[in-house]
Amino acid sequence: MSYDQSWMTADRHYSLDYETFTKRELFPHERKTNWKGEIIRMPWSTARLENEYAALEYIAANTEIPVPEVLSFEKIDGSYHLVVERLWATPLSQLEENRAEALENIKTFINTVVLPQLAQLRSNKLGNLNGVVIPLIALRTRTLDHGGHLKPRHNILIDPDTLQVDAIIDWEYPGFYPPEFEAPLWTKSCRESDYHNIDAEKIESLTKFLDKTPGMHQQAGI
């Protein structure tokens, strides 16, 4: 049986072996081009990966929230590589049995462990851990949050035997924002018709909040 896997998205290359999981930026030759032949680069691609590295280290050092251990973070041939330990738990999105029980356990864990511990981590500056304000996928006092990422069920790993949370992954977007920015997107599958309606009534006010943030428009071109 081979434990090695690899795949690509619009701005990331992912690979797994028996012990590690690697997420890296795409090399120029791997990127798609537009109709002019110009390389397409996703917004804040480098900043997001740098933020994930900083967030994983910060969360591990300051909370009891389970996250993957960082093994290395380095720039190789012009592209950042983040290497963490491989976790063998099951993403909630792939859990086929006892999902209702697992969801109740997740709800308890997030409300009693994750959110309270993140709320204790404070900063007098708005933005991610490197000081960049990255528009969140879900439009938090300035407390640390997961960037709306207590969301997509594939970011919450479950022990299939105990149905308890084993780890929370994919920390590209977290930062210090008002609490309103954290949406419970994990409560529904992204395939459900009303998934995008979760906290939709907040989007306009949160967008206005970001529009008033100093440097927001200048950073939009990063």
Side-chain angles (χ1 to χ4, degrees), residues 88-90 95 97-98 158-164:
W88 293 89
T90 302
L95 191 67
E97 299 179 353
N98 304 310
I158 302 295
D159 183 318
D161 296 321
T162 66
L163 300 179
Q164 299 294 330

Side-chain angles (χ1 to χ4, degrees), residues 81-92:
H81 290 56
L82 175 64
V83 183
V84 302
E85 64 173 324
R86 179 169 184 171
L87 301 175
W88 293 89
T90 302
L92 175 60

